[in-house]
C-alpha cells in the first residue's frame, strides 16, 4: 500500500502533487531556519544564572551606602559636609536551594524493633564563570530602609533641608516623615 503511494507520487500524471509536496517541504525548511535565528534555544546566547541577574536596586553594604549617600548629598548647594545614618527594618535575605536526603531503616534483633531516621540537608552548589563554587540562590531580597538621619552643615537652612529630604526620598524610597535633617555643630 505504501509503495503504491510513493510510486503514484512520482508518476508523470501527478506533477502538480509533486510540486505541492516540494513547496511544502521548502516552506517547512524555511520556517525552521527562520525559527532558529529568532530563538534563544540556539545556544549562541549565554545562559544567565540567578547570581548574575542584576538586582533592581543595589545598595551595597550599610557603611558603603551611607558613605555614597553622604558624598552625593554634600554636593547639594549649601549642604556643606554631610553625615548619613540609615536604620533598617529588614536586612538582606538570601534563600539557598537545599537538597534533603532522608534515610529510614528498620531492624529487628531478638524480638526488639528499632527504627532510625537520618536526614541530610545540604546546599546545592554551582560553579560560576571564574570557577568559584557558590550556593544556588532561589531568592534574594535587598535590605529595607526604615529611617534616615542626615546631619549637614547647611541643615539650618529650610531650602537645603528640603533639598536633602527630597534627595533622600528619591534615593531610598523612604517617606518624608521617616527622614530627619539636622544642622551639624
Amino acid at each position: 500500500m505504501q509503495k503504491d503511494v510513493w510510486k503514484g507520487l512520482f508518476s508523470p500524471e501527478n506533477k502538480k502533487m509533486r510540486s505541492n509536496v516540494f513547496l511544502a517541504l521548502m516552506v517547512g525548511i524555511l520556517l525552521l531556519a527562520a525559527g532558529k535565528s529568532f530563538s534563544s534555544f540556539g545556544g549562541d546566547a549565554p545562559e544567565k544564572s540567578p547570581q548574575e541577574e542584576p538586582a533592581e536596586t543595589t545598595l551595597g553594604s550599610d557603611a558603603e551606602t551611607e558613605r555614597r549617600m553622604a558624598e552625593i548629598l554634600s554636593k547639594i548647594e549649601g549642604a556643606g559636609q554631610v553625615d548619613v545614618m540609615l536604620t533598617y527594618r529588614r536586612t538582606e535575605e538570601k534563600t539557598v536551594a537545599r537538597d534533603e536526603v532522608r534515610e529510614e531503616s528498620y531492624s529487628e534483633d531478638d524480638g526488639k524493633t528499632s527504627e532510625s531516621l537520618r536526614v541530610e540537608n545540604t546546599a546545592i552548589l554551582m560553579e560560576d564563570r571564574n570557577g568559584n563554587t557558590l550556593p544556588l540562590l532561589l531568592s534574594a531580597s535587598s535590605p529595607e530602609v526604615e529611617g534616615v538621619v542626615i546631619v549637614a552643615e547647611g541643615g539650618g537652612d529650610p531650602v537645603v533641608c528640603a533639598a536633602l529630604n527630597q534627595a533622600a526620598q528619591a534615593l531610598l524610597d523612604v517617606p518624608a516623615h521617616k527622614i530627619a535633617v539636622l544642622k551639624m555643630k
Side-chain angles (χ1 to χ4, degrees):
M1 172 77 182
Q2 214 173 22
K3 280 188 172 186
D4 294 338
V5 170
W6 286 107
K7 282 183 182 179
L9 183 63
F10 293 109
S11 68
E13 299 87 37
N14 286 334
K15 186 176 183 180
K16 187 172 183 174
M17 180 181 246
R18 272 195 317 261
S19 297
N20 288 343
V21 168
F22 179 74
L23 183 63
L25 183 64
M26 293 306 291
V27 168
I29 292 172
L30 183 65
L31 286 174
L32 283 174
K36 282 198 175 198
S37 66
F38 294 113
S39 172
S40 63
F41 299 114
D44 295 337
E47 292 182 21
K48 290 185 179 179
S49 70
Q51 282 81 3
E52 294 172 5
E53 294 178 10
E56 289 179 22
T57 307
T58 53
L59 293 175
S61 69
D62 298 345
E64 177 68 14
T65 302
E66 290 174 359
R67 185 195 64 74
R68 286 177 55 204
M69 193 168 170
E71 182 182 320
I72 292 295
L73 294 178
S74 66
K75 293 179 181 178
I76 293 175
E77 185 177 343
Q81 182 183 349
V82 177
D83 284 331
V84 176
M85 181 178 172
L86 304 175
T87 58
Y88 294 92
R89 174 178 302 140
R90 183 187 73 223
T91 59
E92 181 179 33
E93 296 177 6
K94 294 180 180 180
T95 306
V96 176
R98 303 192 85 53
D99 186 24
E100 185 175 284
V101 177
R102 292 175 168 258
E103 288 183 15
E104 296 180 28
S105 62
Y106 301 98
S107 62
E108 194 172 315
D109 289 331
D110 299 329
K112 295 182 182 179
T113 305
S114 64
E115 297 179 26
S116 67
L117 173 66
R118 187 176 78 98
V119 178
E120 187 178 313
N121 198 347
T122 57
I124 298 174
L125 302 176
M126 59 180 279
E127 196 171 293
D128 66 3
R129 291 180 183 168
N130 300 329
N132 300 327
T133 302
L134 302 169
L136 175 64
L137 293 181
L138 293 177
S139 66
S141 63
S142 298
E144 189 175 335
V145 176
E146 175 75 22
V148 183
V149 175
I150 302 170
V151 180
E153 288 178 340
D157 182 359
V159 174
V160 172
C161 285
L164 291 170
N165 195 311
Q166 186 178 10
Q169 287 179 55
L171 287 170
L172 301 171
D173 195 26
V174 174
H177 70 277
K178 302 253 183 166
I179 301 170
V181 180
L182 307 168
K183 181 172 174 51
M184 187 179 283
K185 61 176 183 172

